[in-house]
Amino acid sequence: QSALTQPASVSGSPGQSITISCTGTSSDIGGYHYVSWYQQHPGKAPKLMIYDVSYRPSGVSNRFSGSKSGNTASLTISGLQAEDEAGYYCSSYTSINSRVFGGGTKLTVL
Amino acid sequence: QVHLQESGPGLVKPSETLSLTCTVSGGSISSFHWSWIRQPPGKGLEWVGYISYSGSTNYNPSLRGRVTISLDTPKNQFSLKLSSVTAADTAVYYCARTPIGRNWFDPWGQGTLVTVSS
């Protein structure tokens, strides 16, 4: 199974909005409503930010939102803050009952 | 609040078997899937596999044949064994929880670095 495709890096200024894309196939993202997103600060474990495409766990800021269109999922962060600078990974369920991650995107807050 | 903690040797020789344990505290190991996920230094995440509270397993096809995940319910622990390791298996190994019938990982352990080297 191939990793989902994410841009290697994105950047934005404080207060702006950014979107990170995650592209798969009809056998993973396109076929199911099971995309999740994780935030990872350097040296730390990943943290769940979005599940089932667009749902936020309790305690996650409403500045984070998720969506999906066809084989591509997206994570949008609005009102960028310095603390949002981190790595972001998408994940999806697959047609062979497996799980696959994206390659990760490094977000820089300018 | 449930807490996961990985433990095991930080150095394994090539061709040998990597063994790690994840201890679950603050909650029962029942009614969840328990996963291992790894991250090579400077690289992305890779799902290794999971074991259900019932004992059923599911592994990443790319690792099938080398990976075994087992459960010790009385100790609230689950374990990973990865055989015939090479330098490509050097990674931070995380354990994580998934609700049955769901497809996200939360929470995660802090991770443990395993280096494969002679």
Side-chain angles (χ1 to χ4, degrees):
Chain A
Q1 58 186 18
S2 300
L4 306 173
T5 300
Q6 298 182 232
S9 63
V10 299
S11 62
S13 299
Q16 288 185 332
S17 294
I18 63 94
T19 296
I20 298 171
S21 62
C22 172
T23 301
T25 69
S26 58
S27 295
D28 38 64
I29 291 177
Y32 307 94
H33 219 63
Y34 297 141
V35 177
S36 51
W37 289 90
Y38 302 87
Q39 177 191 65
Q40 186 181 34
H41 287 106
K44 301 294 187 182
K47 174 188 174 184
L48 177 68
M49 305 301 285
I50 296 287
Y51 67 92
D52 290 354
V53 174
S54 60
Y55 292 87
R56 274 188 313 275
S58 173
V60 172
S61 170
N62 60 9
R63 298 186 299 104
F64 291 82
S65 62
S67 62
K68 188 187 83 160
S69 177
N71 297 338
T72 299
S74 298
L75 173 71
T76 298
I77 308 173
S78 59
L80 267 181
Q81 299 179 0
E83 67 205 49
D84 299 332
E85 184 162 297
Y88 291 85
Y89 293 88
C90 58
S91 178
S92 176
Y93 175 82
T94 81
S95 60
I96 56 171
N97 193 24
S98 186
R99 311 294 186 273
V100 64
F101 284 94
T105 298
K106 178 175 170 53
L107 168 62
T108 299
V109 180
L110 302 170
Chain B
Q1 184 168 344
V2 68
H3 178 76
L4 284 68
Q5 179 69 57
E6 305 88 350
S7 59
L11 181 64
V12 181
K13 290 183 168 54
S15 80
E16 295 190 345
T17 297
L18 177 161
S19 296
L20 295 174
T21 296
C22 181
T23 300
V24 180
S25 58
S28 172
I29 209 162
S30 299
S31 303
F32 291 97
H33 289 317
W34 301 95
S35 284
W36 287 98
I37 297 157
R38 69 181 185 177
Q39 185 172 35
K43 297 187 178 181
L45 300 166
E46 179 183 33
W47 176 72
V48 173
Y50 72 68
I51 187 166
S52 173
Y53 70 98
S54 63
S56 62
T57 55
N58 187 14
Y59 302 133
N60 186 323
S62 68
L63 297 172
R64 204 162 287 159
R66 293 202 297 135
V67 61
T68 303
I69 299 176
S70 58
L71 194 64
D72 188 338
T73 304
K75 291 185 177 180
N76 246 27
Q77 294 177 333
F78 63 105
S79 297
L80 168 70
K81 289 190 185 301
L82 184 65
S83 63
S84 305
V85 297
T86 69
D89 296 308
T90 293
V92 174
Y93 286 77
Y94 295 99
C95 54
R97 184 185 73 172
T98 298
I100 296 292
R102 302 299 188 174
N103 292 283
W104 63 80
F105 306 102
D106 181 62
W108 297 55
Q110 66 182 28
T112 187
L113 174 63
V114 179
T115 301
V116 178
S117 175
S118 55

